[in-house]
């Protein structure tokens, strides 16, 4: 297959990790993959995925868009690439890439798939998404919750939807990664005076994640007689607020910033805390599951599908902050229960979320589209 893959940016994150793993998997199976990134090349401290794609032999193009004013320049860049080397199918991840893919590949009469990774509540995005879905050949949703959202809130055609959940490398790969990064992580924890057991948050510093609830956790835990520190790993628009809160809670709330050794950090924590108000299927929960950790999260899209039978013990069912605080306190006070939940999460991860199965599912969708497009073209030629 000749495949164009488009994504908004190539910074390190859940969607970007999945996108990179898929591109590498397709190239390994001798498909010709061209990756088109709307944004700029990531800075050296954030370019791990960039380097992985180059090392894997993926053809890589950055359109260097910085804002919406570059939209039409990006459109011209994509069209030039398509005219120069026409793919059989295109696949995009994230909203802005989906929008440009719909514009460019529909105009070139090339079938394309859009990947929907989050149940975004924005009204204006829902309005544009309706148009994108009408133009698309297929819509791959990261969870059934997201699929329900795009059907009910964005009028996506049910017949176009395919659900392919996130996947992760299991057991030996996770263990090797955490062992490799172990010394560096231990030094970072010691430098920041972090003692085990601690609770960990990993993700963007953004309003979607409701990180203001993390700022209240040190006081809540102290009142409950619990001494665990809260370690935050990430970056984003609310970075200053995180720094200010860490300064107000010295020794209890620690901001480690952006890290590439997330798995090793998670492996040393007691549990993952994630108070997001909406999601798609949080990849960080999958990383926690693969690291044999318990989770304390809100009842947002994808988490019930991830956690399965033990979900109710790890989810604030009504999405109320008070319920979430109570959940965190209950698990923080019960290390044995955390270990039990972590073991159950790991077993579920092995059975349902092996990355090889997910990569095969994506490949199968692309094959079916190309075969269907070829049959349609043959039928049209026969009628002529």
């Amino acid at each position: 297959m000749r495949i164009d893959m488009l994504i908004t940016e190539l910074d390190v994150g859940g969607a970007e990790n999945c996108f990179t793993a898929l591109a590498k998997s397709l190239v390994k199976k001798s498909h010709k993959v061209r990756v088109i990134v709307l944004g700029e090349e990531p800075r050296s401290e954030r370019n791990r995925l960039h380097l992985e794609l180059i090392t894997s032999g993926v053809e890589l193009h950055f359109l260097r868009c910085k804002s919406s004013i570059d939209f039409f320049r990006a459109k011209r860049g994509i069209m030039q690439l398509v005219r120069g080397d026409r793919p059989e199918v295109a696949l995009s991840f994230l909203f802005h890439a989906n929008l440009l893919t719909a514009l460019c590949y529909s105009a070139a009469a090339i079938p394309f798939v859009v990947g929907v990774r989050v149940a975004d509540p924005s009204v204006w995005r829902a309005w544009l998404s309706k148009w994108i879905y009408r133009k698309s050949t297929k819509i791959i949703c990261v969870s059934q919750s997201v699929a329900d959202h795009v059907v009910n809130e964005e009028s996506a055609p049910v017949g176009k939807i395919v659900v392919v959940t996130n996947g992760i490398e299991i057991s030996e790969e996770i263990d090797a990664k955490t062992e490799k990064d172990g010394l560096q992580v231990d030094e970072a924890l010691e430098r920041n005076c972090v003692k085990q057991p601690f609770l960990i948050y990993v993700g963007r510093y953004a309003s979607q994640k409701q990180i203001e609830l993390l700022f209240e956790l040190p006081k809540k835990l102290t009142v409950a007689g619990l001494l665990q520190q809260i370690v935050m790993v990430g970056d984003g628009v609310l970075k200053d607020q995180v720094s200010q809160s860490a300064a107000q809670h010295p020794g209890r709330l620690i901001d480690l910033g952006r890290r590439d050794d997330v798995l090793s950090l998670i492996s040393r924590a007691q549990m993952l805390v994630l108070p997001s108000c909406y999601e798609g299927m949080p990849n960080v929960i999958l990383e926690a599951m693969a690291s044999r950790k318990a989770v304390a999260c809100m009842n947002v899209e994808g988490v019930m599908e991830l956690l399965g039978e033990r979900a109710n013990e790890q989810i604030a069912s009504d999405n109320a902050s008070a319920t979430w605080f109570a959940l965190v306190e209950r698990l923080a006070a019960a290390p044995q229960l955390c270990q039990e939940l972590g073991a159950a999460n790991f077993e579920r991860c092995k059975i349902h979320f092996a990355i090889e199965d997910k990569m095969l599912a994506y490949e199968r969708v692309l094959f079916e589209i190309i075969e269907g497009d070829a049959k349609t073209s043959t039928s049209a030629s026969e009628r002529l």
Side-chain angles (χ1 to χ4, degrees):
M1 288 188 290
R2 299 188 310 279
I3 308 158
D4 275 3
M5 293 182 60
L6 296 89
I7 193 166
T8 304
E9 60 182 8
L10 205 56
D11 211 345
V12 177
E16 293 82 2
N17 280 326
C18 180
F19 180 91
T20 301
L22 177 58
K24 289 164 58 180
S25 174
L26 291 169
V27 166
K28 191 174 181 180
K29 294 185 177 181
S30 300
H31 300 300
K32 183 180 179 181
V33 176
R34 175 170 61 189
V35 165
I36 303 171
V37 183
L38 305 189
E40 298 179 296
E41 295 93 334
R43 298 195 299 270
S44 57
E45 68 272 18
R46 303 181 180 182
N47 68 349
R48 175 176 60 82
L49 301 181
H50 180 184
L51 295 178
E52 285 184 19
L53 288 173
I54 291 174
T55 303
S56 299
V58 173
E59 181 184 338
L60 188 56
H61 299 267
F62 288 92
L63 301 182
R64 300 182 175 87
C65 298
K66 297 181 180 179
S67 67
S68 57
I69 62 174
D70 295 321
F71 183 86
F72 292 102
R73 181 168 61 82
K75 182 174 180 288
R76 288 195 301 272
I78 294 169
M79 293 304 295
Q80 287 174 357
L81 289 169
V82 170
R83 284 193 292 267
D85 186 5
R86 184 181 175 88
E88 295 174 276
V89 66
L91 169 67
S92 61
F93 271 37
L94 304 177
F95 174 76
H96 293 91
N98 289 347
L99 180 57
L100 276 162
T101 298
L103 280 168
C104 297
Y105 291 85
S106 62
I110 296 170
F112 67 92
V113 182
V114 293
V116 187
R117 311 283 306 177
V118 65
D120 195 308
S122 303
V123 175
W124 70 272
R125 286 199 179 192
W127 181 74
L128 285 170
S129 293
K130 292 178 184 179
W131 178 82
I132 293 171
Y133 301 150
R134 286 200 301 271
K135 294 287 185 180
S136 68
T137 309
K138 288 288 182 182
I139 306 160
I140 296 184
C141 296
V142 74
S143 66
Q144 186 59 51
S145 301
V146 169
D148 293 341
H149 173 84
V150 300
V151 170
N152 298 327
E153 306 299 329
E154 299 175 351
S155 304
V158 175
K160 291 186 178 183
I161 290 176
V162 180
V163 175
V164 181
T165 62
N166 286 334
I168 193 167
E169 295 177 336
I170 308 295
S171 191
E172 291 83 3
E173 293 86 353
I174 290 286
D175 293 341
K177 178 66 175 170
T178 54
E179 182 179 349
K180 176 179 177 293
D181 293 335
L183 182 60
Q184 181 182 358
V185 163
D186 290 337
E187 290 174 349
L189 294 176
E190 184 177 352
R191 186 168 60 251
N192 288 274
C193 301
V194 178
K195 305 296 182 184
Q196 292 177 296
F198 60 88
L199 315 184
I200 191 166
Y201 165 86
V202 179
R204 289 183 296 113
Y205 296 167
S207 56
Q208 172 201 345
K209 305 295 184 177
Q210 295 194 118
I211 60 172
E212 67 275 6
L213 298 184
L214 299 172
F215 304 160
E216 299 180 48
L217 259 186
K219 183 177 179 180
K220 298 285 186 182
L221 293 176
T222 300
V223 170
L226 300 167
L227 301 178
Q228 288 96 328
Q229 297 163 295
I230 298 93
V231 172
M232 296 185 65
V233 179
D235 198 1
V237 295
L238 300 183
K239 173 71 173 178
D240 289 345
Q241 288 91 320
V242 173
S243 299
Q244 291 168 11
S245 185
Q248 292 168 3
H249 301 284
R252 294 302 305 278
L253 183 67
I254 294 94
D255 174 24
L256 294 186
R258 181 179 291 273
R259 306 280 304 193
D260 281 334
D261 42 19
V262 167
L263 290 175
S264 193
L265 282 164
I266 292 175
S267 74
R268 283 155 172 77
Q270 180 179 348
M271 65 175 175
L272 174 78
V273 291
L274 186 68
S276 303
C277 59
Y278 68 91
E279 286 283 353
M281 175 170 273
N283 202 61
V284 69
I285 289 184
L286 199 52
E287 291 174 330
M289 294 170 68
S291 301
R292 301 173 174 85
K293 297 299 170 183
V295 175
C297 62
M298 295 293 190
N299 189 15
V300 291
E301 294 81 8
V303 297
M304 291 292 293
E305 295 165 62
L306 280 170
L307 296 170
E309 293 180 358
R310 305 299 295 266
N312 291 333
E313 298 171 80
Q314 302 174 81
I315 290 175
S317 58
D318 61 358
N319 285 340
S321 58
T323 308
W324 184 76
F325 285 132
L327 171 65
V328 174
E329 291 168 15
R330 182 165 62 253
L331 291 177
Q336 188 63 40
L337 176 59
C338 283
Q339 290 181 12
E340 180 186 324
L341 290 171
N345 288 346
F346 178 71
E347 290 304 316
R348 179 169 175 80
C349 192
K350 282 199 304 183
I351 295 169
H352 296 285
F353 300 105
I355 195 166
E356 296 83 3
D357 297 338
K358 310 307 176 183
M359 300 300 97
L360 185 60
Y362 272 102
E363 185 183 25
R364 190 179 299 119
V365 171
L366 297 175
F367 261 131
E368 289 173 356
I369 288 172
I370 290 174
E371 290 175 357
D373 193 53
K375 290 176 182 177
T376 301
S377 298
T378 300
S379 299
S381 298
E382 289 173 350
R383 287 197 299 270
L384 290 172

